[in-house]
Amino acid sequence: MEETGILTVEKIDGKSTVTRCFSKYPLKLIIPKKAGSSTTDAVWVFSLSYGGGIVSGDRVFVGLSVGDGCTVALTTQASTKVYKSVDSKCSEQVLEAKVGRNALLAVIPDPVTCFSAAIYSQKQVFRISSDSNLVIVDWITSGRHESGEKWDFEFYKSSNNILLDGGEPLFVDSVLLEQTSTTTSVAERMKDYQVVAMVIILGPKLKHLQDLIQSEVEHMMTGYFRPTKVQKMSSESSANGSSRPPIFASCSSFGAKAGVVVRLLSTTTEAVYAFLRHHLSGLEQFLGAPPYRR
């Protein structure tokens, strides 16, 4: 696939510096000068789509290189809207990133929002060294609630692959949501839940953040998995049609505990934003600004 975006960040005079930046339709890369604190060595990059979303058949391919010791935050200005498919054309986004030694890459976008009848696929491949540091947030909402759309898209697939030097797989994951005629619809399977999210935190610089999020997720979910008598009654009421827990989270380590992956299921987008703001606030010391705070 022909590249629609290229970004290279290298150390110049001891500072993380963009040495190459290229983008073309339907992609635009913006590098603001004051996204984070001036005392922090980090480059912020905003990825935008012309027209405010991804049109049927659009193909976006970004190549990103983060040099040794550099820090980069790749984000968006709003949710990634995927418009309805025309003639069953698939909209596609691919990110291939190389993260150098002792470098940090934080991929912290707003969620993907697929419109009714959308067909969308995205793939992210990260090639890292043993001491690279990586944060990945990958999430999707059910659609345009104000238009009555809930999980009405035709097809959604998201893959994340993390490879060590030499191509050895460290983490391989795919999420597939597809409407079929032989089983229940995506909306029926999702019940009241409107957001699916995944957070990956990897690397020695982020060990404290990994330990903290594992501890807090375990504490947060203990009440659901080991309920008291009162909570059991509440759970029974939920099963009979009343409110469901607003957010479920699970957390596990991978790569000989080199990283952690958090999976989220939520009834609201706002609850996931709150989760991300709280649990990723520790990145401010590296990025110069906390993620998901406008």
Side-chain angles (χ1 to χ4, degrees):
M1 186 187 300
E2 183 182 0
E3 287 177 313
T4 50
I6 301 173
L7 185 77
T8 302
V9 178
E10 299 174 280
K11 279 282 189 180
I12 305 295
D13 296 330
K15 185 176 178 62
S16 298
T17 306
V18 176
T19 57
R20 187 182 183 191
C21 182
F22 161 80
S23 60
K24 67 178 183 179
Y25 183 87
L27 173 71
K28 187 173 184 180
L29 298 176
I30 295 179
I31 305 170
K33 293 183 178 180
K34 296 182 179 180
S37 170
S38 59
T39 61
T40 305
D41 179 32
V43 171
W44 281 74
V45 182
F46 287 79
S47 175
L48 287 74
S49 297
Y50 286 93
I54 299 177
V55 178
S56 175
D58 276 353
R59 308 184 96 189
V60 177
F61 180 25
V62 178
L64 170 60
S65 177
V66 183
D68 294 349
C70 295
T71 299
V72 175
L74 178 62
T75 186
T76 54
Q77 286 189 319
S79 64
T80 298
K81 300 173 181 64
V82 183
Y83 297 115
K84 69 176 183 179
S85 174
V86 177
D87 297 329
S88 298
K89 292 180 180 178
C90 180
S91 302
E92 186 175 4
Q93 285 202 111
V94 176
L95 170 65
E96 289 197 357
K98 183 177 181 180
V99 187
R101 299 187 63 83
N102 198 38
L104 168 61
L105 171 62
V107 180
I108 45 176
D110 292 285
V112 171
T113 297
C114 291
F115 287 20
S116 177
I119 299 176
Y120 177 72
S121 174
Q122 72 174 29
K123 183 177 182 180
Q124 299 185 135
V125 180
F126 303 90
R127 304 181 190 278
I128 67 170
S129 299
S130 58
D131 59 352
S132 299
N133 303 275
L134 190 60
V135 176
I136 305 168
V137 178
D138 185 8
W139 54 319
I140 179 176
T141 72
S142 61
R144 298 179 296 174
H145 290 194
E146 68 280 3
S147 301
E149 296 179 3
K150 294 184 178 180
W151 306 111
D152 285 340
F153 52 82
E154 289 298 319
F155 179 92
Y156 168 88
K157 183 178 181 180
S158 179
S159 300
N160 288 280
N161 301 333
I162 304 175
L163 310 176
L164 291 168
D165 288 334
E168 179 185 355
L170 178 67
F171 181 89
V172 177
D173 181 86
S174 289
V175 173
L176 174 63
L177 298 173
E178 182 178 15
Q179 307 289 0
T180 64
S181 58
T182 56
T183 60
T184 56
S185 67
V186 175
E188 289 173 315
R189 281 174 270 162
M190 288 297 180
K191 303 297 183 181
D192 294 333
Y193 292 98
Q194 308 300 328
V195 184
V196 176
M198 180 176 70
V199 183
I200 299 170
I201 305 174
L202 169 70
K205 281 185 179 180
L206 306 176
K207 188 64 172 65
H208 174 70
L209 190 61
Q210 295 175 37
D211 294 341
L212 189 61
I213 197 169
Q214 280 189 297
S215 175
E216 292 187 348
V217 166
E218 180 181 355
H219 178 73
M220 181 179 76
M221 299 309 299
T222 295
Y224 295 129
F225 293 113
R226 297 175 183 173
T228 63
K229 183 176 181 180
V230 173
Q231 289 169 327
K232 284 181 179 178
M233 293 173 63
S234 175
S235 179
E236 290 171 0
S237 296
S238 174
N240 291 328
S242 58
S243 62
R244 295 176 182 272
I247 190 167
F248 275 114
S250 68
C251 191
S252 58
S253 60
F254 65 91
K257 298 187 177 180
V260 299
V261 56
V262 183
R263 300 183 189 276
L264 302 168
L265 190 63
S266 176
T267 56
T268 67
T269 307
E270 292 73 20
V272 179
Y273 270 119
F275 181 96
L276 295 173
R277 279 193 295 267
H278 173 67
H279 292 287
L280 298 183
S281 61
L283 291 176
E284 183 176 5
Q285 63 178 304
F286 304 108
L287 304 180
Y292 298 106
R293 290 184 183 174
R294 301 304 182 192

Coordinates of all heavy atoms in Angstrom, one line a residue, residues 182-259:
T182 N -26.7 -15.5 10.3 CA -27.0 -16.8 10.9 C -26.9 -16.7 12.5 O -27.3 -17.6 13.1 CB -25.9 -17.8 10.5 OG1 -24.6 -17.3 10.7 CG2 -26.1 -18.1 9.0
T183 N -26.4 -15.6 13.0 CA -26.3 -15.5 14.5 C -27.0 -14.1 14.9 O -27.5 -13.4 14.1 CB -24.9 -15.5 15.0 OG1 -24.1 -14.5 14.3 CG2 -24.2 -16.9 14.6
T184 N -26.9 -13.8 16.2 CA -27.5 -12.6 16.6 C -26.6 -11.4 16.2 O -25.4 -11.6 15.9 CB -27.5 -12.6 18.2 OG1 -26.2 -12.9 18.7 CG2 -28.5 -13.6 18.7
S185 N -27.2 -10.2 16.1 CA -26.5 -9.0 15.6 C -25.5 -8.6 16.7 O -25.6 -9.0 17.8 CB -27.5 -7.9 15.4 OG -28.1 -7.5 16.6
V186 N -24.6 -7.7 16.3 CA -23.7 -7.1 17.2 C -24.4 -6.4 18.3 O -24.0 -6.5 19.5 CB -22.7 -6.2 16.5 CG1 -21.8 -5.5 17.5 CG2 -21.9 -6.9 15.4
A187 N -25.4 -5.7 18.0 CA -26.2 -4.9 19.0 C -26.8 -5.9 20.1 O -26.8 -5.6 21.3 CB -27.3 -4.1 18.4
E188 N -27.3 -7.0 19.6 CA -27.9 -8.0 20.5 C -26.8 -8.6 21.4 O -27.1 -8.8 22.6 CB -28.6 -9.1 19.8 CG -29.9 -8.6 19.1 CD -30.5 -9.6 18.2 OE1 -29.8 -10.3 17.4 OE2 -31.7 -9.8 18.3
R189 N -25.7 -8.8 20.9 CA -24.6 -9.4 21.7 C -24.0 -8.4 22.7 O -23.6 -8.8 23.8 CB -23.4 -9.9 20.8 CG -23.7 -11.2 20.1 CD -22.6 -11.5 19.1 NE -22.9 -11.0 17.8 CZ -22.1 -10.9 16.8 NH1 -20.8 -11.2 17.0 NH2 -22.4 -10.4 15.6
M190 N -24.0 -7.1 22.3 CA -23.4 -6.1 23.2 C -24.4 -5.6 24.3 O -23.9 -5.0 25.3 CB -23.0 -4.9 22.4 CG -21.8 -5.1 21.5 SD -20.4 -5.4 22.5 CE -19.2 -5.7 21.2
K191 N -25.7 -6.0 24.2 CA -26.6 -5.6 25.3 C -26.6 -4.0 25.4 O -26.8 -3.3 24.5 CB -26.3 -6.3 26.6 CG -26.3 -7.8 26.5 CD -27.7 -8.3 26.1 CE -27.7 -9.9 26.0 NZ -29.0 -10.4 25.6
D192 N -26.4 -3.6 26.6 CA -26.4 -2.1 26.9 C -25.0 -1.5 26.7 O -24.9 -0.3 26.9 CB -26.8 -1.8 28.3 CG -28.3 -2.2 28.6 OD1 -29.0 -2.2 27.6 OD2 -28.7 -2.5 29.7
Y193 N -24.0 -2.3 26.4 CA -22.6 -1.7 26.4 C -22.4 -1.1 25.0 O -22.7 -1.6 24.0 CB -21.6 -2.8 26.7 CG -21.7 -3.2 28.1 CD1 -22.4 -4.4 28.5 CD2 -21.2 -2.5 29.1 CE1 -22.6 -4.7 29.8 CE2 -21.3 -2.8 30.5 CZ -22.0 -3.9 30.8 OH -22.2 -4.3 32.1
Q194 N -21.8 0.1 25.1 CA -21.6 1.0 23.9 C -20.2 1.3 23.5 O -19.9 1.9 22.5 CB -22.3 2.4 24.2 CG -23.7 2.3 24.7 CD -24.6 1.5 23.7 OE1 -24.4 1.6 22.5 NE2 -25.6 0.8 24.2
V195 N -19.2 0.8 24.3 CA -17.8 1.0 24.0 C -17.0 -0.2 24.3 O -17.2 -0.9 25.3 CB -17.2 2.2 24.9 CG1 -15.8 2.5 24.5 CG2 -18.1 3.4 24.7
V196 N -16.1 -0.6 23.4 CA -15.1 -1.6 23.6 C -13.7 -1.0 23.5 O -13.5 -0.3 22.5 CB -15.2 -2.8 22.5 CG1 -14.1 -3.8 22.7 CG2 -16.6 -3.4 22.6
A197 N -12.8 -1.2 24.4 CA -11.5 -0.5 24.4 C -10.4 -1.5 24.9 O -10.7 -2.4 25.7 CB -11.6 0.7 25.3
M198 N -9.2 -1.2 24.5 CA -8.0 -1.9 24.9 C -6.9 -0.9 25.2 O -6.7 0.0 24.4 CB -7.6 -3.0 23.9 CG -6.4 -3.8 24.3 SD -6.0 -5.1 23.1 CE -5.4 -4.1 21.7
V199 N -6.2 -1.1 26.2 CA -5.0 -0.3 26.6 C -3.8 -1.2 26.8 O -3.9 -2.1 27.6 CB -5.3 0.6 27.8 CG1 -4.1 1.5 28.1 CG2 -6.5 1.4 27.7
I200 N -2.7 -0.9 26.1 CA -1.5 -1.7 26.2 C -0.4 -0.7 26.8 O -0.2 0.4 26.3 CB -1.0 -2.2 24.9 CG1 -2.1 -3.2 24.3 CG2 0.3 -3.0 25.1 CD1 -1.8 -3.6 22.9
I201 N 0.3 -1.2 27.8 CA 1.4 -0.4 28.4 C 2.6 -1.3 28.5 O 2.5 -2.4 29.2 CB 1.0 0.1 29.8 CG1 -0.3 1.0 29.7 CG2 2.1 1.0 30.4 CD1 -0.8 1.4 31.1
L202 N 3.7 -0.9 27.9 CA 4.8 -1.8 27.8 C 6.1 -1.0 28.0 O 6.2 0.1 27.5 CB 4.8 -2.4 26.4 CG 6.1 -3.2 25.9 CD1 6.2 -4.5 26.7 CD2 6.0 -3.5 24.4
G203 N 7.1 -1.6 28.6 CA 8.4 -1.0 28.7 C 8.9 -0.7 30.1 O 8.1 -0.4 31.0
P204 N 10.2 -0.6 30.3 CA 10.8 -0.4 31.6 C 10.5 1.0 32.2 O 10.3 1.2 33.4 CB 12.3 -0.5 31.4 CG 12.5 -0.4 29.9 CD 11.3 -0.9 29.3
K205 N 10.4 2.0 31.3 CA 10.0 3.4 31.8 C 8.6 3.4 32.5 O 8.4 4.3 33.3 CB 10.1 4.4 30.7 CG 11.5 4.9 30.3 CD 11.4 6.0 29.3 CE 12.7 6.5 28.9 NZ 12.6 7.6 27.8
L206 N 7.8 2.5 32.0 CA 6.4 2.5 32.4 C 6.0 1.5 33.4 O 4.8 1.2 33.6 CB 5.5 2.4 31.2 CG 5.8 3.4 30.1 CD1 4.9 3.1 28.8 CD2 5.6 4.9 30.5
K207 N 7.0 0.9 34.1 CA 6.8 -0.2 35.0 C 5.9 0.2 36.2 O 5.0 -0.5 36.6 CB 8.1 -0.8 35.5 CG 7.9 -2.1 36.4 CD 7.4 -3.2 35.5 CE 7.4 -4.5 36.2 NZ 6.5 -4.6 37.4
H208 N 6.1 1.4 36.7 CA 5.3 1.9 37.8 C 3.9 2.1 37.4 O 3.0 1.7 38.1 CB 5.9 3.2 38.3 CG 5.0 3.8 39.4 ND1 4.9 3.3 40.7 CD2 4.2 5.0 39.4 CE1 4.1 4.1 41.4 NE2 3.7 5.1 40.6
L209 N 3.7 2.6 36.2 CA 2.3 2.8 35.6 C 1.6 1.5 35.4 O 0.4 1.3 35.7 CB 2.4 3.6 34.3 CG 1.1 4.1 33.7 CD1 0.4 5.1 34.7 CD2 1.4 4.8 32.4
Q210 N 2.4 0.5 35.0 CA 1.8 -0.9 34.8 C 1.3 -1.4 36.1 O 0.2 -2.0 36.3 CB 2.8 -1.8 34.2 CG 3.3 -1.5 32.8 CD 4.4 -2.4 32.3 OE1 4.4 -3.6 32.6 NE2 5.3 -1.9 31.6
D211 N 2.2 -1.4 37.1 CA 1.9 -1.9 38.5 C 0.6 -1.2 39.1 O -0.2 -1.8 39.6 CB 3.0 -1.8 39.4 CG 4.2 -2.7 39.0 OD1 4.0 -3.6 38.2 OD2 5.4 -2.4 39.4
L212 N 0.6 0.1 38.9 CA -0.5 0.9 39.4 C -1.8 0.6 38.8 O -2.8 0.4 39.5 CB -0.2 2.4 39.3 CG -1.1 3.4 40.0 CD1 -1.1 3.1 41.5 CD2 -0.7 4.8 39.7
I213 N -1.8 0.5 37.5 CA -3.1 0.2 36.8 C -3.6 -1.2 37.1 O -4.8 -1.4 37.2 CB -3.0 0.5 35.3 CG1 -4.4 0.6 34.6 CG2 -2.2 -0.6 34.6 CD1 -4.4 1.1 33.2
Q214 N -2.7 -2.2 37.2 CA -3.1 -3.5 37.5 C -3.7 -3.6 38.9 O -4.8 -4.2 39.1 CB -1.9 -4.5 37.5 CG -1.5 -4.9 36.1 CD -0.4 -6.0 36.2 OE1 0.7 -5.8 36.6 NE2 -0.8 -7.2 35.7
S215 N -3.1 -2.9 39.9 CA -3.6 -2.8 41.2 C -5.0 -2.2 41.3 O -5.9 -2.6 41.9 CB -2.7 -2.1 42.1 OG -3.2 -2.0 43.4
E216 N -5.1 -1.0 40.6 CA -6.4 -0.3 40.6 C -7.5 -1.0 39.9 O -8.7 -0.9 40.3 CB -6.2 1.1 40.1 CG -5.3 2.0 41.0 CD -5.2 3.4 40.6 OE1 -5.6 3.7 39.4 OE2 -4.6 4.2 41.3
V217 N -7.2 -1.6 38.8 CA -8.3 -2.4 38.1 C -8.7 -3.6 38.9 O -9.9 -3.8 39.0 CB -7.7 -2.9 36.7 CG1 -8.7 -3.9 36.1 CG2 -7.6 -1.7 35.8
E218 N -7.8 -4.3 39.6 CA -8.2 -5.4 40.4 C -9.1 -4.9 41.6 O -10.1 -5.5 41.9 CB -6.9 -6.0 41.0 CG -7.2 -7.2 41.9 CD -6.0 -7.9 42.5 OE1 -4.9 -7.5 42.1 OE2 -6.1 -8.8 43.4
H219 N -8.7 -3.8 42.2 CA -9.5 -3.2 43.3 C -10.9 -2.8 42.8 O -11.9 -3.0 43.4 CB -8.8 -2.0 43.9 CG -9.5 -1.3 45.0 ND1 -9.7 -1.9 46.2 CD2 -10.2 -0.2 45.0 CE1 -10.4 -1.1 47.0 NE2 -10.8 0.0 46.3
M220 N -10.9 -2.2 41.6 CA -12.2 -1.7 41.0 C -13.2 -2.8 40.7 O -14.4 -2.7 41.0 CB -11.9 -0.9 39.7 CG -13.1 -0.3 39.1 SD -12.8 0.7 37.6 CE -12.4 -0.7 36.4
M221 N -12.6 -3.9 40.3 CA -13.5 -5.0 39.9 C -13.8 -6.0 41.0 O -14.6 -6.9 40.8 CB -12.9 -5.7 38.7 CG -12.7 -4.9 37.4 SD -14.2 -3.9 37.0 CE -15.3 -5.3 36.6
T222 N -13.1 -5.9 42.1 CA -13.3 -6.9 43.2 C -14.8 -7.0 43.6 O -15.3 -8.0 43.9 CB -12.4 -6.5 44.4 OG1 -11.0 -6.7 44.0 CG2 -12.7 -7.5 45.5
G223 N -15.4 -5.8 43.6 CA -16.8 -5.8 44.1 C -17.7 -6.5 43.2 O -18.8 -7.0 43.6
Y224 N -17.4 -6.6 41.9 CA -18.2 -7.3 40.9 C -18.0 -8.8 41.0 O -19.0 -9.6 40.8 CB -18.0 -6.8 39.5 CG -18.3 -5.4 39.3 CD1 -17.4 -4.5 38.7 CD2 -19.6 -4.9 39.6 CE1 -17.8 -3.2 38.5 CE2 -19.9 -3.6 39.4 CZ -19.0 -2.7 38.8 OH -19.3 -1.4 38.6
F225 N -16.8 -9.2 41.2 CA -16.5 -10.7 41.1 C -16.6 -11.3 42.5 O -16.7 -12.6 42.6 CB -15.1 -10.9 40.5 CG -15.0 -10.5 39.1 CD1 -14.3 -9.5 38.7 CD2 -15.8 -11.3 38.1 CE1 -14.2 -9.1 37.3 CE2 -15.7 -10.9 36.8 CZ -15.0 -9.8 36.4
R226 N -16.5 -10.5 43.6 CA -16.7 -11.1 44.9 C -17.7 -10.2 45.7 O -17.4 -9.5 46.6 CB -15.3 -11.1 45.7 CG -14.2 -11.9 45.0 CD -12.9 -11.8 45.7 NE -11.9 -12.5 45.1 CZ -10.6 -12.5 45.4 NH1 -10.2 -11.7 46.4 NH2 -9.7 -13.2 44.8
P227 N -18.9 -10.3 45.2 CA -19.9 -9.4 45.8 C -20.3 -9.6 47.2 O -20.3 -10.8 47.6 CB -21.1 -9.6 44.8 CG -20.9 -11.0 44.3 CD -19.5 -11.2 44.2
T228 N -20.7 -8.6 47.9 CA -21.3 -8.7 49.2 C -22.7 -9.1 49.0 O -23.3 -9.2 47.9 CB -21.2 -7.4 50.0 OG1 -22.0 -6.4 49.3 CG2 -19.8 -6.9 50.1
K229 N -23.4 -9.3 50.1 CA -24.8 -9.7 50.1 C -25.7 -8.6 49.4 O -26.5 -8.9 48.5 CB -25.4 -10.0 51.5 CG -26.8 -10.5 51.4 CD -27.3 -10.9 52.8 CE -28.7 -11.4 52.8 NZ -29.2 -11.7 54.2
V230 N -25.4 -7.4 49.8 CA -26.1 -6.2 49.2 C -25.8 -6.2 47.7 O -26.7 -6.0 46.9 CB -25.7 -4.9 49.8 CG1 -26.3 -3.7 49.1 CG2 -26.2 -4.9 51.3
Q231 N -24.6 -6.4 47.3 CA -24.2 -6.3 45.9 C -24.8 -7.5 45.1 O -25.2 -7.4 43.9 CB -22.7 -6.3 45.7 CG -22.1 -5.0 46.2 CD -20.6 -5.1 46.3 OE1 -20.0 -6.2 46.6 NE2 -19.9 -4.0 46.0
K232 N -25.0 -8.6 45.7 CA -25.6 -9.8 45.1 C -27.1 -9.4 44.7 O -27.6 -9.8 43.7 CB -25.6 -11.0 46.0 CG -24.2 -11.7 46.0 CD -24.2 -12.9 46.9 CE -22.9 -13.6 46.9 NZ -22.9 -14.8 47.9
M233 N -27.7 -8.8 45.7 CA -29.1 -8.4 45.4 C -29.2 -7.4 44.3 O -30.1 -7.4 43.4 CB -29.7 -7.7 46.7 CG -29.9 -8.7 47.9 SD -30.4 -7.9 49.4 CE -32.0 -7.2 48.9
S234 N -28.2 -6.4 44.2 CA -28.1 -5.5 43.1 C -27.9 -6.1 41.8 O -28.5 -5.8 40.8 CB -27.0 -4.4 43.4 OG -26.9 -3.6 42.3
S235 N -27.0 -7.2 41.9 CA -26.7 -7.9 40.6 C -27.9 -8.7 40.1 O -28.2 -8.8 38.9 CB -25.6 -8.9 40.9 OG -25.3 -9.7 39.8
E236 N -28.7 -9.2 41.1 CA -29.9 -9.9 40.7 C -30.9 -9.0 40.0 O -31.6 -9.3 39.1 CB -30.6 -10.6 41.9 CG -29.7 -11.8 42.4 CD -30.3 -12.3 43.7 OE1 -31.2 -11.8 44.2 OE2 -29.7 -13.3 44.2
S237 N -31.0 -7.7 40.6 CA -31.9 -6.7 40.0 C -31.5 -6.4 38.6 O -32.3 -6.2 37.7 CB -31.9 -5.5 40.9 OG -32.4 -5.7 42.2
S238 N -30.1 -6.3 38.4 CA -29.6 -6.0 37.1 C -30.0 -7.1 36.1 O -30.4 -6.8 35.0 CB -28.1 -5.9 37.2 OG -27.5 -5.8 35.9
A239 N -29.9 -8.4 36.5 CA -30.3 -9.5 35.7 C -31.8 -9.4 35.3 O -32.2 -9.9 34.3 CB -30.0 -10.8 36.3
N240 N -32.6 -8.8 36.2 CA -34.0 -8.7 35.9 C -34.4 -7.5 35.1 O -35.5 -7.2 35.0 CB -34.8 -8.7 37.2 CG -34.7 -10.0 38.0 OD1 -34.6 -11.1 37.3 ND2 -34.7 -10.0 39.3
G241 N -33.4 -6.8 34.6 CA -33.7 -5.7 33.7 C -33.3 -4.3 34.1 O -33.5 -3.3 33.4
S242 N -32.8 -4.1 35.3 CA -32.4 -2.8 35.8 C -31.0 -2.5 35.4 O -30.4 -3.1 34.5 CB -32.6 -2.6 37.3 OG -31.8 -3.6 38.0
S243 N -30.3 -1.5 36.0 CA -29.1 -1.0 35.6 C -28.0 -2.1 35.6 O -27.9 -3.0 36.4 CB -28.6 0.2 36.5 OG -28.5 -0.3 37.8
R244 N -27.0 -1.9 34.7 CA -25.9 -2.8 34.6 C -24.7 -2.0 35.1 O -24.7 -0.7 35.1 CB -25.6 -3.2 33.1 CG -26.7 -4.1 32.6 CD -26.4 -4.4 31.1 NE -27.5 -5.2 30.5 CZ -27.5 -6.6 30.6 NH1 -26.5 -7.2 31.2 NH2 -28.5 -7.2 30.0
P245 N -23.6 -2.6 35.5 CA -22.4 -1.9 35.9 C -21.9 -1.1 34.7 O -21.9 -1.5 33.6 CB -21.4 -3.0 36.2 CG -22.2 -4.2 36.5 CD -23.5 -4.1 35.7
P246 N -21.5 0.2 34.9 CA -21.2 1.1 33.8 C -19.9 0.7 33.1 O -19.8 1.1 31.9 CB -21.1 2.5 34.5 CG -20.7 2.1 35.9 CD -21.5 0.9 36.2
I247 N -19.0 0.0 33.8 CA -17.8 -0.3 33.1 C -17.2 -1.6 33.7 O -17.3 -1.9 34.9 CB -16.7 0.8 33.3 CG1 -15.5 0.6 32.4 CG2 -16.4 1.1 34.7 CD1 -14.6 1.8 32.3
F248 N -16.8 -2.5 32.8 CA -16.0 -3.7 33.2 C -14.6 -3.6 32.7 O -14.4 -3.1 31.6 CB -16.7 -5.0 32.6 CG -17.8 -5.5 33.4 CD1 -19.1 -5.5 32.9 CD2 -17.6 -6.0 34.7 CE1 -20.2 -6.0 33.6 CE2 -18.7 -6.6 35.4 CZ -20.0 -6.5 34.9
A249 N -13.7 -4.1 33.5 CA -12.2 -4.0 33.1 C -11.5 -5.3 33.5 O -11.8 -5.9 34.6 CB -11.6 -2.8 33.8
S250 N -10.6 -5.7 32.7 CA -9.7 -6.9 33.0 C -8.3 -6.4 32.7 O -8.1 -5.6 31.8 CB -10.1 -8.1 32.3 OG -9.8 -8.0 30.9
C251 N -7.4 -7.0 33.4 CA -6.0 -6.6 33.3 C -5.1 -7.9 33.4 O -5.3 -8.7 34.3 CB -5.6 -5.6 34.3 SG -4.0 -4.8 34.1
S252 N -4.2 -8.0 32.4 CA -3.2 -9.1 32.5 C -1.9 -8.7 31.9 O -1.8 -7.8 31.1 CB -3.8 -10.3 31.7 OG -4.1 -10.0 30.4
S253 N -0.9 -9.5 32.3 CA 0.5 -9.2 31.9 C 0.8 -10.1 30.7 O 0.2 -11.1 30.4 CB 1.5 -9.4 33.0 OG 1.5 -10.7 33.5
F254 N 1.9 -9.7 29.9 CA 2.3 -10.5 28.8 C 3.8 -10.2 28.6 O 4.4 -9.3 29.2 CB 1.6 -10.1 27.5 CG 1.8 -8.7 27.0 CD1 2.8 -8.4 26.1 CD2 1.0 -7.7 27.4 CE1 3.0 -7.1 25.6 CE2 1.2 -6.4 27.0 CZ 2.2 -6.1 26.1
G255 N 4.4 -11.1 27.8 CA 5.9 -10.9 27.5 C 6.7 -11.0 28.8 O 7.6 -10.1 29.0
A256 N 6.6 -12.1 29.6 CA 7.3 -12.2 30.8 C 7.2 -11.0 31.7 O 8.1 -10.5 32.3 CB 8.8 -12.5 30.5
K257 N 5.9 -10.5 31.8 CA 5.5 -9.3 32.6 C 6.2 -8.0 32.1 O 6.4 -7.1 32.9 CB 5.8 -9.6 34.0 CG 5.0 -10.7 34.6 CD 5.2 -10.8 36.1 CE 4.3 -12.0 36.7 NZ 4.4 -12.1 38.1
A258 N 6.6 -8.0 30.8 CA 7.2 -6.8 30.3 C 6.1 -5.7 30.0 O 6.4 -4.5 30.0 CB 7.9 -7.1 28.9
G259 N 4.9 -6.2 29.8 CA 3.8 -5.2 29.6 C 2.5 -5.7 30.2 O 2.4 -6.9 30.6

